Amino acid sequence: MLRLLPGILVIVALFGGNARAGGDLSAAEIARLSNMVRQDCGSCHGLTLKGGLGRPLTVDQLAGMDRETVRDIILFGIDDTPMPGWLGLLSEPEADWIARALKTGAIQ
Ligand code: HEC
């Protein structure tokens, strides 16, 4: 039993993490966020997110950054660049959902 425990903890951590990272957002909320990313983020990053004033927000481009880093960039922006922070417009779970969606290519 003790030997099984680490495996069980990993499974609980994985499923717990998934629930926090968007499992509790409604379908309407997810549609709103996807739309916002295409419109608002797209105004600088390109309507297909392949780059414009801001760099591309593609799976390849974001592969080197973990989800938390992308989330924090979304919430706080990047100092001394036109990348604004979205805190106030987006909650942390919303920014986290966008970060994950961008990293997995769920928003095209
Ligand atoms: C006003 C223009 C503008 C808007 C709107 C904007 N960004 Fe940006 N973003 C930028 C610029 C410019 C950079 C590059 C900053 C730099 O030089 O490091 C950037 C960088 C980023 C990066 C880091 C990319 C990398 O490879 O370093 C992420 C992630 C990002 N933006 C996500 C978003 C998301 C998500 C949204 C919408 C919620 C958004 N941005 C809206 C201008 C914008």
Side-chain angles (χ1 to χ4, degrees), residues 66-81:
D66 58 22
R67 195 178 81 215
E68 288 75 15
T69 305
V70 177
R71 179 197 64 206
D72 288 350
I73 289 175
I74 295 170
L75 285 176
F76 304 111
I78 303 177
D79 283 351
D80 303 321
T81 79

Side-chain angles (χ1 to χ4, degrees), residues 2 49 53 59 63 72 90:
L2 269 183
L49 304 178
L53 169 66
V59 175
D72 288 350
L90 291 172

Side-chain angles (χ1 to χ4, degrees), residues 37 41-42 44-46 48-51 54-62 70 73-74 83 98 101-103 105 107:
V37 170
C41 314
C44 285
H45 289 278
T48 54
L49 304 178
K50 298 218 165 71
R55 300 188 196 119
L57 298 179
T58 52
V59 175
D60 285 353
Q61 172 76 19
L62 299 176
V70 177
I73 289 175
I74 295 170
M83 173 61 192
I98 292 173
L102 290 172
K103 280 182 68 61
I107 300 175

